[in-house]
């Protein structure tokens, strides 16, 4: 087989030698380029002799009638190895003006001999694995227009030799490991319109921008600069996009920076250390996206925000802004996202906000906003997310809220809302997340809540209100419900067995309500529920052994009810059980030793019952148990001498029982 392959190779080489003798010189050089690549890469460049010029996948030769242009594109190839010999062949092509080796698997250093390709105006080496420093020679040519070295593994600094590339229009050095200061020569390039140096380790202050700055796109985000924004950035009159997220820049932003940037459309200064007031010069009619979040901006939001008629995205979250939301925000007809969370804003929600009919998201979380929710917000037919929790909003939820047909997430918890949940909320067919907890809402929850939802409610949190009546039976209609939290209300009726039929739910909290009656012995098996809390109700009867088939249960709290009978030994089958609390009930019988079979059981609270018999030594010897609460029972006999194995035990309560004999020495070994 080996000899056969050798003969084939010799035969192929001889054919190539004959063919190249009659080929144009360009094709000969390209075949030389092919042969200098690793053997595996050569197979990806099949030469096609059916045309007079070079023609293989990724190589294009064409004529415009007056001059010939050669363009190489290996975007789809998985090439590897060094390029020195290959580039030497490429640079012999007299009319090669564009070289695209992006999106391959090239390693090693960037060949400095690329500088010898004197006619090149485009070099794309991005999305490879080049390492080492940037060869200064690559900037030697004054003809280069576009150079992209992004998404490699380059280190070192940006060479000051960049000053020689006076025709350069696009420079991409993004996603590398470059460090040091940005050379002043880079900003001084007279024709540079796009500069991408983001996601590196660049440091130091930004150099000043020249009076003739031609930049239109400047991406410097995710670096480690120092100092503030140079006022000279205002010299870049053509700037349309400036991304400076996570750059460590800070200080007060001078109004002069933005005074003459009338073409600015995209501005991202988020996650920095800027302070002081937001300059009023920033608000201009060209702005489309603005993010100043996660800084220390203070003061109020200017009414001039209404001048930004093109803006569709505003993020001023996580600052120290105060005052009211300007009424002029109602002039922003194109606004999609308004993010003002984690500030110190106060006053009422402006009714004018209802004019922003393009709004998709409003987030006002963690402010001091008061007053009522204006009914004008019901005009926001495209609104999908309305988060205003942790404020001081009062009054009732507008009945018309049901008109917001696109709403998927409504979170108003931790406010001062009163009244009932409007029945119109059941018209929100796309509602998935509903959280109204920690308010003063009263009355019954609409019984058909969830009935019309498609694909269905995912989270319902109505805890810490004054709701009464029965738990709606339609909550799991779409079979998407994952979290149901209704604790600390006045819900009555029986245990909602329909929830057990909901195979998507994993957390159910019904703590402190007025549920009563028995839980059926044949309650449906649910392998998804991991958290069940019915503490503080009036449930009675025997604890269903069927809970043992809720195999994902990690926490089950049945405390402070009126359960009677014995503890189901089947609970020992729950291998994911971490916390079991059945305290303050009317349980009798012995503690089943099978509970020790739950390999993860760390907290066991059986206190305040009528349990009798001995403490099982198997439970006392558990190596994972941290809390064992057995007080206020009728347990008898001596303490097990196996406690020394419970090395994680931190809380042990046995008072008010009928225990006797000596305290075992094994207790002294508990750490």
């Amino acid at each position: 087989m080996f000899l056969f392959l050798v003969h084939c190779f010799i035969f192929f080489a001889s054919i190539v030698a004959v063919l190249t003798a009659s080929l144009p010189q360009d094709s000969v050089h390209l075949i030389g380029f092919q042969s200098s690549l690793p053997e595996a890469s050569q197979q990806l460049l099949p030469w096609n002799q059916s045309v007079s010029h070079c023609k293989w996948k990724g190589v294009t030769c064409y004529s415009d009638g007056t001059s010939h242009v050669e363009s190489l594109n290996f975007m789809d190839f998985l090439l590897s190895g060094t390029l020195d010999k290959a580039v030497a062949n490429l640079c012999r092509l007299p009319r090669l003006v564009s070289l695209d080796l992006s999106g391959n698997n090239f390693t090693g250093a960037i060949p400095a001999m690329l500088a010898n390709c004197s006619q090149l105006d485009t070099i794309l080496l991005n999305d490879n694995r080049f390492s080492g420093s940037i060869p200064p020679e690559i900037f030697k040519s004054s003809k280069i227009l576009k150079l992209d070295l992004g998404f490699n593994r380059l280190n070192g600094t940006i060479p000051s030799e960049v000053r020689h590339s006076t025709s350069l229009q696009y420079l991409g050095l993004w996603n590398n490991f470059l460090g040091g200061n940005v050379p002043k020569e880079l900003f001084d390039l007279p024709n540079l319109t796009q500069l991408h140096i983001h996601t590196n380790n660049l440091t130091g202050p930004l150099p000043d921008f020249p009076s003739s700055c031609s930049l239109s796109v400047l991406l410097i985000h995710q670096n480690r600069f120092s100092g503030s924004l140079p006022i000279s950035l205002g010299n870049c009159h053509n700037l349309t996009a400036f991304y400076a997220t996570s750059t460590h820049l800070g200080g007060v932003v001078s109004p002069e920076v933005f005074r003459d940037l009338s073409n600015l459309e995209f501005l991202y200064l988020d996650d920095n250390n800027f302070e002081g007031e937001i300059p009023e010069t920033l608000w201009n009619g060209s702005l489309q996206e603005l993010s100043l979040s996660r800084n220390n901006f203070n003061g109020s939001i200017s009414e001039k925000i209404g001048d930004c008629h093109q803006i569709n995205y505003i993020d001023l979250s996580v600052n120290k802004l105060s005052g009211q939301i300007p009424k002029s925000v109602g002039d922003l007809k194109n606004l999609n996202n308004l993010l003002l969370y984690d500030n110190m804003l106060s006053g009422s929600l402006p009714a004018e906000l209802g004019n922003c009919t393009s709004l998709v998201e409003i987030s006002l979380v963690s402010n001091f906003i008061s007053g009522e929710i204006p009914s004008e917000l019901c005009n926001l037919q495209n609104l999908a997310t309305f988060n205003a929790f942790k404020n001081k909003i009062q009054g009732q939820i507008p009945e018309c809220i049901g008109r917001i047909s696109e709403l998927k997430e409504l979170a108003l918890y931790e406010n001062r809302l009163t009244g009932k949940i409007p029945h119109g909320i059941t018209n929100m067919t796309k509602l998935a997340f509903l959280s109204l907890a920690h308010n003063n809402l009263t009355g019954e929850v609409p019984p058909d809540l969830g009935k019309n939802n498609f694909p269905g409610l995912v989270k319902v949190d109505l805890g810490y209100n004054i709701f009464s009546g029965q738990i709606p039976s339609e909550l799991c209609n779409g079979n998407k419900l994952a979290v149901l939290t209704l604790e600390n209300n006045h819900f009555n009726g029986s245990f909602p067995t329909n929830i057990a039929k909901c195979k998507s739910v994993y957390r159910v909290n019904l703590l402190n309500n007025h549920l009563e009656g028995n839980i059926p012995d044949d309650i449906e098996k649910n392998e998804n529920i991991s958290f069940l809390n019915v503490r503080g109700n009036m449930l009675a009867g025997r604890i269903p052994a069927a809970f043992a088939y809720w195999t994902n249960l990690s926490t089950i709290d049945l405390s402070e009810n009126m359960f009677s009978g014995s503890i189901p030994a089947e609970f020992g089958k729950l291998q994911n059980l971490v916390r079991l609390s059945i305290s303050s009930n009317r349980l009798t019988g012995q503690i089943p030793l099978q509970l020790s079979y739950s390999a993860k059981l760390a907290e066991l609270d059986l206190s305040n019952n009528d349990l009798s018999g001995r403490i099982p030594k198997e439970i006392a010897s558990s190596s994972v148990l941290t809390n064992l609460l057995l007080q206020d029972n009728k347990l008898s006999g001596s303490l097990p001498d196996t406690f020394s194995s419970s090395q994680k035990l931190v809380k042990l309560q046995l008072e008010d029982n009928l225990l006797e004999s000596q305290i075992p020495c094994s207790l002294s070994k508990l750490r």
Side-chain angles (χ1 to χ4, degrees):
M1 183 66 180
F2 175 74
L3 291 176
F4 173 75
L5 292 174
V6 171
H7 286 304
C8 288
F9 176 77
I10 294 174
F11 174 76
F12 175 76
S14 62
I15 293 296
V16 170
V18 172
L19 290 172
T20 54
S22 59
L23 285 174
Q25 194 62 30
D26 287 354
S27 299
V28 173
H29 294 319
L30 284 168
I31 291 175
F33 166 72
Q34 179 198 44
S35 63
S36 65
L37 292 172
E39 185 175 349
S41 300
Q42 294 181 32
Q43 305 303 316
L44 298 174
L45 299 175
W47 174 58
N48 187 340
Q49 59 174 324
S50 62
V51 292
S52 59
H53 270 274
C54 55
K55 183 67 178 177
W56 58 55
K57 183 180 179 183
V59 178
T60 303
C61 303
Y62 56 93
S63 170
D64 62 4
T66 58
S67 62
H68 294 276
V69 178
E70 320 251 353
S71 177
L72 304 185
N73 185 342
F74 302 112
M75 183 71 73
D76 299 325
F77 300 143
L78 297 175
L79 305 176
S80 61
T82 60
L83 282 175
D84 288 345
K85 292 183 179 179
V87 169
N89 283 288
L90 289 176
C91 288
R92 294 172 185 167
L93 296 170
R95 297 185 300 274
L96 181 65
V97 296
S98 176
L99 177 62
D100 185 350
L101 300 178
S102 61
N104 291 289
N105 200 28
F106 287 119
T107 58
I110 293 175
M113 62 179 61
L114 274 172
N116 297 331
C117 298
S118 58
Q119 301 303 312
L120 278 177
D121 63 28
T122 300
I123 301 176
L124 306 180
L125 304 180
N126 52 290
D127 294 274
N128 281 289
R129 292 192 297 159
F130 288 115
S131 57
S133 58
I134 301 172
E137 297 86 350
I138 205 169
F139 296 112
K140 184 172 76 171
S141 172
S142 61
K143 294 183 178 180
I144 191 75
L145 302 176
K146 183 173 183 178
L147 174 63
D148 198 341
L149 308 179
F151 206 52
N152 280 288
R153 301 175 181 180
L154 302 173
N155 52 36
T157 60
I158 301 174
S160 60
E161 284 80 359
V162 70
R163 66 183 180 276
H164 298 305
S165 298
T166 52
S167 298
L168 195 62
Q169 299 173 3
Y170 176 102
L171 177 60
L173 305 177
W174 48 281
N175 274 82
N176 279 289
F177 301 99
L178 299 172
N181 292 7
V182 176
K184 184 179 185 302
E185 293 84 354
L186 180 57
F187 285 176
D188 287 339
L189 291 175
N191 294 295
L192 190 64
T193 59
Q194 292 197 45
L195 177 59
H196 301 245
I197 56 175
H198 58 88
T199 320
N200 279 287
N201 296 315
L202 298 170
T203 57
L206 291 175
D208 281 328
F209 294 82
S211 58
S212 59
C213 174
S214 57
L215 283 169
S216 62
V217 176
L218 177 57
L219 276 58
I220 65 171
H221 51 281
Q222 293 183 341
N223 277 290
R224 295 200 235 162
F225 298 120
S226 57
S228 58
L229 281 180
I231 294 177
S232 57
L233 178 64
N235 295 333
C236 304
H237 305 305
N238 297 320
L239 195 64
T240 60
F242 180 40
Y243 289 75
T245 299
S246 301
T247 57
H248 294 252
L249 293 170
V252 175
V253 180
S254 170
E256 298 302 317
V257 173
F258 299 104
R259 190 176 301 281
D260 296 320
L261 298 184
S262 58
N263 295 306
L264 192 61
E265 298 176 359
F266 305 94
L267 176 61
Y268 282 77
L269 300 180
D270 45 310
D271 196 17
N272 282 293
N273 301 309
F274 294 116
E275 56 190 30
E277 296 190 3
I278 299 173
E280 292 205 356
T281 55
L282 181 149
W283 310 108
N284 71 71
S286 298
L287 208 57
Q288 295 181 25
E289 295 182 13
L290 172 67
S291 181
L292 306 179
S293 67
R294 299 187 299 281
N295 280 287
N296 293 306
F297 286 112
N298 56 37
S300 59
I301 303 173
S302 172
E303 286 284 349
K304 283 190 167 241
I305 194 174
D307 295 340
C308 302
H309 300 297
Q310 303 300 318
I311 202 161
N312 60 71
Y313 182 89
I314 297 176
D315 187 356
L316 306 180
S317 60
V318 196
N319 279 287
K320 298 177 180 177
L321 299 173
S322 57
Q324 297 188 358
I325 299 173
K327 293 182 178 180
S328 63
V329 75
D331 297 331
L332 307 180
K333 308 298 184 183
N334 296 305
L335 188 61
N336 299 138
N337 305 81
L338 179 61
L339 310 178
L340 304 176
Y341 60 89
D342 284 331
N343 277 288
M344 296 184 287
L345 299 171
S346 58
S348 301
L349 284 174
E352 291 79 3
L353 198 58
N355 297 329
C356 304
T357 52
S358 297
L359 271 170
V360 174
E361 179 183 14
I362 300 175
S363 183
L364 310 173
V365 177
S366 295
N367 279 284
F368 300 102
I369 296 171
S370 58
E372 298 186 0
I373 300 173
S375 59
E376 286 81 0
L377 263 60
C378 299
N379 298 329
L380 303 178
Q381 297 297 304
N382 296 302
L383 192 64
T385 300
F386 182 34
N387 289 334
F389 54 89
K390 294 186 178 180
N391 278 284
K392 297 181 179 180
I393 300 173
Q394 57 197 35
Q396 300 186 19
I397 301 172
E399 178 66 36
C400 63
I401 199 169
R403 289 178 9 212
I404 310 178
S405 57
E406 295 295 316
L407 200 63
K408 297 178 182 178
E409 184 172 344
L410 177 61
L412 300 174
Y413 64 87
E414 291 190 38
N415 276 288
R416 300 174 181 178
L417 296 171
T418 55
K420 298 180 179 181
I421 295 180
H423 192 272
I425 207 168
T426 62
N427 297 326
M428 296 179 178
T429 58
K430 297 183 180 180
L431 191 64
F433 296 88
L434 175 63
S435 183
L436 305 175
H438 294 272
N439 280 287
N440 295 307
L441 296 168
T442 58
E444 296 188 5
V445 176
D448 51 354
L449 180 64
K451 181 178 180 180
N452 300 317
N453 294 75
F454 183 82
L457 289 167
V458 175
K459 179 180 180 179
V460 177
D461 184 0
L462 306 178
Y464 294 90
N465 280 286
I466 319 171
F467 291 121
S468 57
Q470 297 191 355
I471 297 172
S473 59
E474 302 285 355
L475 285 176
C476 199
N477 185 58
N479 208 30
K480 290 287 184 179
L481 189 66
V483 176
L484 177 62
T485 306
L486 306 178
E487 81 269 31
N488 287 285
N489 278 286
H490 296 160
F491 287 110
N492 54 39
S494 58
F495 180 84
T497 54
N498 59 303
I499 299 300
K501 300 177 182 178
C502 187
K503 303 306 179 185
S504 57
V505 70
Y506 70 87
R507 185 179 179 88
V508 178
N509 192 343
L510 308 177
L511 165 73
N512 288 342
N513 278 284
H514 300 314
L515 301 178
E516 56 188 359
N518 297 358
I519 300 177
D521 290 334
D522 59 349
I523 189 170
E524 189 160 334
K525 177 181 179 181
N526 191 315
E527 297 179 346
N528 196 49
I529 293 180
S530 63
F531 181 97
L532 175 64
N533 190 345
V534 295
R535 185 188 188 105
N537 283 279
M538 295 181 288
L539 296 169
R542 299 181 66 88
I543 297 173
F547 279 141
Y549 299 102
W550 294 23
T551 53
N552 202 42
L553 270 175
S554 64
T555 294
I556 180 168
D557 193 338
L558 309 175
S559 301
E560 298 178 25
N561 280 282
M562 294 186 289
F563 290 113
S564 58
S566 59
I567 299 172
E570 289 84 354
F571 276 180
K573 298 178 181 179
L574 296 172
Q575 292 304 303
N576 292 304
L577 192 63
V578 175
R579 180 173 178 262
L580 173 61
S581 181
I582 325 179
S583 66
S584 301
N585 278 283
R586 301 173 181 176
L587 299 175
T588 56
Q590 299 185 359
I591 300 173
L593 63 87
Q594 288 89 343
L595 292 181
S596 64
Y597 300 165
S598 296
K600 298 179 182 178
L601 187 61
E603 298 182 33
L604 178 60
D605 186 357
L606 306 178
S607 62
N608 199 16
N609 280 288
D610 289 315
L611 299 173
S612 58
R614 294 177 175 270
I615 299 173
K617 62 180 182 179
E618 293 85 355
I619 292 177
S621 63
S622 170
S623 60
V624 296
L625 203 62
T626 60
N627 291 13
L628 179 59
L629 310 181
L630 303 176
Q631 71 270 24
D632 292 307
N633 277 288
K634 296 178 181 178
L635 299 173
S636 60
S638 58
L639 289 179
D641 59 2
T642 54
F643 274 114
S644 59
S645 300
S646 297
Q647 293 303 305
K648 293 187 177 180
L649 195 64
V650 295
K651 189 172 185 179
L652 175 63
Q653 291 191 223
L654 304 172
E655 68 269 22
D656 289 316
N657 277 287
L658 303 176
L659 299 169
E660 56 187 7
S661 188
Q662 295 182 339
I663 297 175
C665 294
S666 58
L667 286 180
S668 66
K669 298 180 181 179
L670 295 177
R671 290 183 297 178

